[in-house]
Amino acid sequence: MDLVRLADSVRTRRRALGMRTSADLALAAGLSLRTVAEVERGANLVGDTSQRAIETALGWEPGEMVRIAEGGERRREVRDDIAALRDILTEMDELRERAEALLDRLDG
């Protein structure tokens, strides 16, 4: 099992969901920080109950952590696409605001 690969996937997904720290994920999963930190360091796969709690907090299907650790690809979820679209819309709004401010300066 590739626990480093799993650790990278967990950290990436956590950040994509707006959880800045391992403590945020631990709180969302109802687990200790130590348990989540072990997963995020690639030190341990943790037990089934903890895996399920982390998968739920990350919006993953049951068994996703094992699938990733065994080299499989994570299933793409609609939630991922929605999150990506929200990010794009946010960026577009920010760009629109900057463009409007620039146009105001040019007009003024």
Side-chain angles (χ1 to χ4, degrees), residues 1-57:
M1 289 208 175
D2 189 347
L3 298 182
V4 172
R5 181 174 188 265
L6 173 62
D8 290 341
S9 294
V10 169
R11 282 191 310 272
T12 299
R13 178 68 174 164
R14 170 178 54 80
R15 290 177 185 138
L17 293 174
M19 291 182 259
R20 293 172 35 150
T21 67
S22 300
D24 294 332
L25 177 55
L27 183 63
L31 298 171
S32 70
L33 176 57
R34 180 180 181 161
T35 298
V36 171
E38 286 178 0
V39 173
E40 289 198 351
R41 280 194 330 269
N44 190 1
L45 183 57
V46 301
D48 292 343
T49 303
S50 296
Q51 284 177 39
R52 185 65 195 121
I54 292 169
E55 289 165 342
T56 298

